[in-house]
């Protein structure tokens, strides 16, 4: 077992601003997340939450510093290796769900395995089990367009967990939902992550949702401000 | 708003120059194809018309003899017809210039002594101390001819015609433009009396030009002249003659017309989809503008403004490019005209106002109509959906099914109409073809939906690509249907050309059986005045290797109101019977001999609705003759022909010399050697000697040249295939950037996204090909069984040209794969965080 699920060491992300000015989205961020923990990232809009998650997922690269997922340093990896790592270890849940309208609920959930070239008979049961778990077993054959927001996000969680990632990243997973269904989705996600034994890192604006995590990272203008550990 | 407009346009240009450039290129390409084909088409006709006018001068009516020439005595009769202001006789011949084989010139004899200020105006550079103008041997040359030959006024030179060599003296230069006779090319002008006596035509004229008195009714005057001369002449107006020219050029122009049709389809398609491509990208931007309080009208103005800007840019570039394409292809078209139709070369490109208007219409019309759909989309949708990143755009099956049914109904309706009423009408084939072509885009969306919807998706590969085509139905249907239309035309025309060629091969093998063919020519060209002297025929027939000769006499006469070849052969000979591929039953040749009847070609039979048992009227030199029709034969000459026995021909149409003979050689004799022997013994300019093999080669050269323009069609469908697919995939890559980013986030490699797009391109090519082939077979049947029959009266046997069709299909698939490489590359470079930016 690795000692760390996600490690940021002196990570900065710089964008070019107007003229030649540099704009820091993240500045010298350092933290370490132990496997199996749930961590909330909070901060104002524009504080760098999404940027942090993208760097963790390897879909963006830091300007300086190093990012490691379960001991694998992303910096040294090329585009293809980072994709491979994402395939194996990382799941992602988006604020706007991003389900494909031309696929059924079942096919949307199965998409990561489809992309990874896994045979259908291998993932068929897993897909069914996940949909069962989120309470949508009878919607498997439906087009996604007919689902409610909360249902869509539950499908998206199934998709993210399909390949049993060790690290689940969620960018404001309840940001597009009302409070009640947001709560349902959040509960479900926490339970499932616990069942799967995965590490969860999620960004949120909500104080209540942040309180559900083991630990909270607070960002302010790209700087990691304070840490509070709920378990302490 | 104007400030904002300028800012956005320049921002778009900077952020995505490739797509923007492609848009302008698409418009330009479309406009260029429309313009180049039209320029060539019009120039061909104009060149013909100019040839006609040169002869007539600025005449209102041109009088020609039914048998090719007119006696001098007709001239006072024409001039004396009421309503004639002036009349001038013309003697015409074609001569070759000695010492320079292959240079021939038109020789015109006109009345130089008649008072004509224009003529004197046109003459220049008189030779010093020369014989009197119009004296014996005096000739004026066009500057072009003088330049080619390096003559200066005062030089003596020799010319040759069928009758021998004559010496002339260059007395002056003549400018045809100033003379009021357009064109000119290589020509010599002499006094008519001198020309007649030198070139063996004392007392004969070739035409009489007439100007009508002020206010006279020209067609009525033409009719009056014909009547006054007892129907022995044709009096036609220049526009009628141009009309005849158009008819003669029929097959060739049909090709060009088909091409302009394609080019219009391509052009409008390219413009349309280029604009769409450009707009789709800005969808979200419009959403933002709307959400900030812009009215729909303001957004629409923005869209149309940008479309118009790109359209104008494209039209300007397209007109220039089209002109250069025409210049570039001029040689090919021009050589077809001179070699196949024995016309003058195209001397100048005609760029008419109509052509330019059409180009502007196609460019701007296409651009604005291409803008219409996305613009309406922006207009209709509420602001929120415009801002959506993965818009659920499920085109209802109800709509596509209705379109599909409409397409089938269209074809069924057209066929039904043809069956009951339409077949009587000459243009009916074009209605049918249009129905087939229009049916394709109507049936495409439903078929794409059905076919891609059925694909099972076992992996994220080819089949996933095919399946996801259904998700971008509008884009996919668009490129598939335009590809299908192009393939349809290509397949249809390939079927026609190859079937026609195969039919011609069979016909030629059957009818050309002699070993060597000798034809009289003037200036290396067969013509109405070229005949073989009886002594020559005797000598050829007595050659050592010759077993048998088949004589032939050819006249160009008016039959049932059409000018066509009347051929006299010895029908008593078995070879003559074999030569004709008879369509009518029974011993038609025997009947013709017995009943003193004629055999007619299929085009005449169909065109004038005469068949066995009817009679045809031939307007002979001595007046009209009516003869019974004994049989109908296959005939692939332009306009058709009439065949009769030589004896009957002499009796009814007057006696005359043979125009060609075919030699049957003794077994073992070498036709090439015999042909070469004859050629070396007689001057090249007065005989054309060809072995059986050479003659067949020549026939197929003519055929291939006539249809050479179809190669442009092949290139065009490749361009359509490539452009359609590149543009569609670029649009999809733009429109679906979020989807691609999602795949990348879920673990798809760049290479997988790349292959996904190549799969989409290939799948679209296959769909387009399948639909296009289905339509093309229908179109081929229409071309072969309806259009060729009603237009030219040719019976063509259906053949399957597997090899050419397979080659074309392969080329299109290759073009499709190549065309999808760039968009696939672009798509694969979509950053995975694109999706998340859209989130922010
Ligand atoms: N591609 C980019 N180019 C330039 N600046 C960027 C880019 N992406 C993000 N930024 C900047 O980086 C900073 C952090 O952005 P980020 O999206 O991480 O914020 P966030 O905390 O997720 O905000 P929100 O809560 O609104 O989603 C912002 O100031 C943003 O403007
Ligand atoms: Mg964010």
């Amino acid at each position: 077992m690795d000692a760390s699920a996600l490690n940021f060491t002196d990570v900065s992300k710089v964008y070019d601003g107007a003229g030649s000015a540099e704009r820091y989205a993240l500045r010298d961020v350092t933290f370490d997340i132990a496997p199996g923990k749930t961590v909330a990232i909070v901060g104002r809009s524009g504080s760098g939450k999404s940027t942090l998650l993208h760097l963790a997922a390897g879909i963006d690269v830091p300007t300086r510093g190093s990012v490691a997922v379960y001991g694998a340093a992303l910096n040294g990896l090329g585009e293809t290796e980072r994709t491979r790592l994402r395939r194996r270890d990382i799941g992602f849940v988006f604020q706007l769900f991003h389900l494909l309208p031309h696929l059924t609920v079942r096919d949307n959930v199965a998409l990561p395995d489809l992309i990874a070239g896994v045979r259908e008979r291998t993932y068929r049961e897993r897909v069914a089990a996940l949909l069962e778990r989120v309470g949508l077993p009878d919607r498997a054959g439906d087009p996604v367009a007919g689902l409610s927001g909360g249902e869509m996000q539950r499908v998206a969680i199934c998709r993210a967990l399909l390949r049993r990632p060790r690290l689940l990243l969620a960018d404001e997973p309840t940001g597009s939902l009302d409070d009640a269904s947001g709560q349902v989705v959040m509960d479900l996600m926490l339970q499932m992550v616990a069942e799967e034994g995965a590490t969860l890192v999620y960004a949120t604006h909500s104080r209540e949702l942040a309180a559900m995590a083991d630990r909270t990272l607070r960002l302010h203008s790209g700087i990691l401000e304070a840490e509070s550990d709920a378990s302490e | 708003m104007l400030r904002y407009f300028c800012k956005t346009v320049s921002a778009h240009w900077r952020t995505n120059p490739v797509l923007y450039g492609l848009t302008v290129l698409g418009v330009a390409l479309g406009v260029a194809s429309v313009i180049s084909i039209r320029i060539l088409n019009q120039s061909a006709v104009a060149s013909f018309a100019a040839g006609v006018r040169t002869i007539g001068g600025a005449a209102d009516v041109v009088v020609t003899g039914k048998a090719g020439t007119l006696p001098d005595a007709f001239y006072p009769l024409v001039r004396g017809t009421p309503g004639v202001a002036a009349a001038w006789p013309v003697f015409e011949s074609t001569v070759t210039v000695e010492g320079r084989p292959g240079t021939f010139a038109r020789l015109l004899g006109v009345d130089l002594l008649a008072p004509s200020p224009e003529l004197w105006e046109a003459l220049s550079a008189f030779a010093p101390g020369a014989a009197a103008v119009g004296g014996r041997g005096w000739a004026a040359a066009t500057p072009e001819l003088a330049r080619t030959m390096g003559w200066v006024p005062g030089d003596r030179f020799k010319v040759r015609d069928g009758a021998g060599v004559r010496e002339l003296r260059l007395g002056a230069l003549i400018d045809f433009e100033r003379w009021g006779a357009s064109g000119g090319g290589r020509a010599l002008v002499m006094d008519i009396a001198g020309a007649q006596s030198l070139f063996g035509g004392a007392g004969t004229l070739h035409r009489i030009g007439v100007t009508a008195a002020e206010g006279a009714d020209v067609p009525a005057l033409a009719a009056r002249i014909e009547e006054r001369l007892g129907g022995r002449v044709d009096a036609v107006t220049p526009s009628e003659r141009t009309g005849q020219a158009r008819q003669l050029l029929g097959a060739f122009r049909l090709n060009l017309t088909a091409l302009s049709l394609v080019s219009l389809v391509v052009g409008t398609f390219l413009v349309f989809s280029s604009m769409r491509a450009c707009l789709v990208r800005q969808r979200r931007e419009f959403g933002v503008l709307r959400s900030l309080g812009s009215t729909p009208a303001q957004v629409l103005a923005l869209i149309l403004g940008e479309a118009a800007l790109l359209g104008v840019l494209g039209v300007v570039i397209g007109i220039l490019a089209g002109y250069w394409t025409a210049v570039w292809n001029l040689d090919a078209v021009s050589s077809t005209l001179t070699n196949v139709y024995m016309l003058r070369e195209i001397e100048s490109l005609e760029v008419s106002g109509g052509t330019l208007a059409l180009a502007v219409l196609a460019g701007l019309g296409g651009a604005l109509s291409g803008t219409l759909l996305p613009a309406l989309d922006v207009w209709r949708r509420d602001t929120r959906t415009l801002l959506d990143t993965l818009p659920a755009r499920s085109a209802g099956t109800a709509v596509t099914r209705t379109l599909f049914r409409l397409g089938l109904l269209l074809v069924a309706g057209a066929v039904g109409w043809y069956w009951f009423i339409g077949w009587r009408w000459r243009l009916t084939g074009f209605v049918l073809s249009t129905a087939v072509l229009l049916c394709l885009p109507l049936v495409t969306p439903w078929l794409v939906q059905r076919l891609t919807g059925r694909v099972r998706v076992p992996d994220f590969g080819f089949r996933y690509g095919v399946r996801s085509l259904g998700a971008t139905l509008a884009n996919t249907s668009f490129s598939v249907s335009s590809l299908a239309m192009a393939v349809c035309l290509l397949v249809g025309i390939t079927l026609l050309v190859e079937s026609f060629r195969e039919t011609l091969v069979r016909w030629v093998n059957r009818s050309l059986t002699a070993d060597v063919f000798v034809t009289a020519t003037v200036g290396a060209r067969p013509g109405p005045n070229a005949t073989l002297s009886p002594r020559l025929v005797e000598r050829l027939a007595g050659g050592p290797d010759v077993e048998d000769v088949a004589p032939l006499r050819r006249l160009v006469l008016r039959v049932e109101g059409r000018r066509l070849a009347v051929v006299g052969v010895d029908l008593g000979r078995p070879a003559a019977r074999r030569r004709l591929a008879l369509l009518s039953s029974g011993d038609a040749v025997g009947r013709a001999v017995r009943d003193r009847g004629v055999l007619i070609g299929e085009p005449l039979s169909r065109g004038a609705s005469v068949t066995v048992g009817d009679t045809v009227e031939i307007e002979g030199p001595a007046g009209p003759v009516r003869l019974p029709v004994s049989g109908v034969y296959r005939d692939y000459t332009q306009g058709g022909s009439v065949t009769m026995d030589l004896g009957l021909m002499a009796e009814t149409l007057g006696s005359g010399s043979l125009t060609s003979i075919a030699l049957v050689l003794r077994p073992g004799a070498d036709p090439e050697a015999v042909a070469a022997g004859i050629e070396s013994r007689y001057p090249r300019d007065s005989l054309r000697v060809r072995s059986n093999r050479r003659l067949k080669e020549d026939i197929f050269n003519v055929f291939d040249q006539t249809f050479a323009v179809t190669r442009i069609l092949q290139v065009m469908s490749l361009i359509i295939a490539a452009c359609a697919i590149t543009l569609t995939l670029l649009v999809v890559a733009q429109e679906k950037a979020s989807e691609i980013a999602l795949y990348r986030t879920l673990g798809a490699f760049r290479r997988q996204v790349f292959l996904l797009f190549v799969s989409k391109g290939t799948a679209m090519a296959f769909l387009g090909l399948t639909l296009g082939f289905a339509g093309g077979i229908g179109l081929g049947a229409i071309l072969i069984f309806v259009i060729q029959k009603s237009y030219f009266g040719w019976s063509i046997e259906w053949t399957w040209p597997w090899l050419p069709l397979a080659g074309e299909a392969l080329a299109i698939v290759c073009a499709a794969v190549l065309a999808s490489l760039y968009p696939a590359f672009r798509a694969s470079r979509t950053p995975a965080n694109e999706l998340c930016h859209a989130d922010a």
Side-chain angles (χ1 to χ4, degrees), chain B residues 558-728:
Chain B
R558 214 168 245 271
V559 181
E560 291 291 312
R562 292 142 198 273
R563 273 186 93 75
L564 43 81
V566 177
V567 178
V569 295
D570 186 353
L571 284 182
R573 298 159 41 86
R577 290 175 188 226
R578 250 185 288 118
R579 221 182 72 91
L580 296 168
L582 287 161
L583 286 167
S584 45
S585 54
D587 178 20
V589 175
R591 253 194 330 260
V593 174
R594 239 186 359 261
D595 307 343
R596 296 164 51 76
V598 297
L599 301 153
I600 63 173
E602 195 186 359
L604 176 62
S605 168
R606 278 183 200 281
S609 310
V610 287
T611 184
V612 181
D614 298 333
T615 57
V616 286
E617 189 181 74
I618 304 177
E619 297 178 18
V625 193
R626 200 158 260 293
L627 294 168
V629 175
S630 306
V632 180
Y633 55 89
R634 287 208 165 171
D635 181 2
Y636 297 100
T637 53
Q638 286 274 347
S641 63
V642 171
T643 299
M644 62 203 292
D645 190 65
L646 269 173
L648 182 66
M649 194 175 199
E651 267 176 59
T652 55
L653 303 174
S655 55
S657 308
L658 298 178
T659 48
S660 69
I661 58 170
L663 309 177
V664 178
L665 302 184
R666 276 181 232 288
D670 175 14
E672 310 294 337
V674 173
I678 297 173
E679 208 155 35
S680 65
R681 240 171 303 136
Y682 301 95
R684 261 171 88 200
D685 287 347
S686 59
L687 283 188
R688 185 191 280 176
V689 188
R690 287 178 291 187
S691 67
N692 186 303
R693 191 179 55 78
R694 265 289 307 284
L695 179 57
K696 284 178 184 165
E697 269 172 22
D698 285 356
I699 289 175
F700 286 106
N701 274 340
V702 168
F703 181 87
D704 292 339
Q705 281 205 30
T706 305
F707 288 98
V709 231
T710 51
R711 228 162 291 137
I712 303 183
L713 186 75
Q714 287 165 341
V715 174
M716 260 187 195
S717 35
L718 283 185
I719 293 180
I720 302 178
C723 282
I725 286 169
T726 305
L727 277 166
T728 301

Side-chain angles (χ1 to χ4, degrees), chain A residues 15 23 25 44-51 172 205, chain B residues 837:
Chain A
Y15 290 110
R23 300 200 46 235
R44 285 214 202 99
S45 181
S47 55
K49 301 184 294 294
S50 298
T51 306
E172 301 187 38
H205 282 289
Chain B
H837 284 164

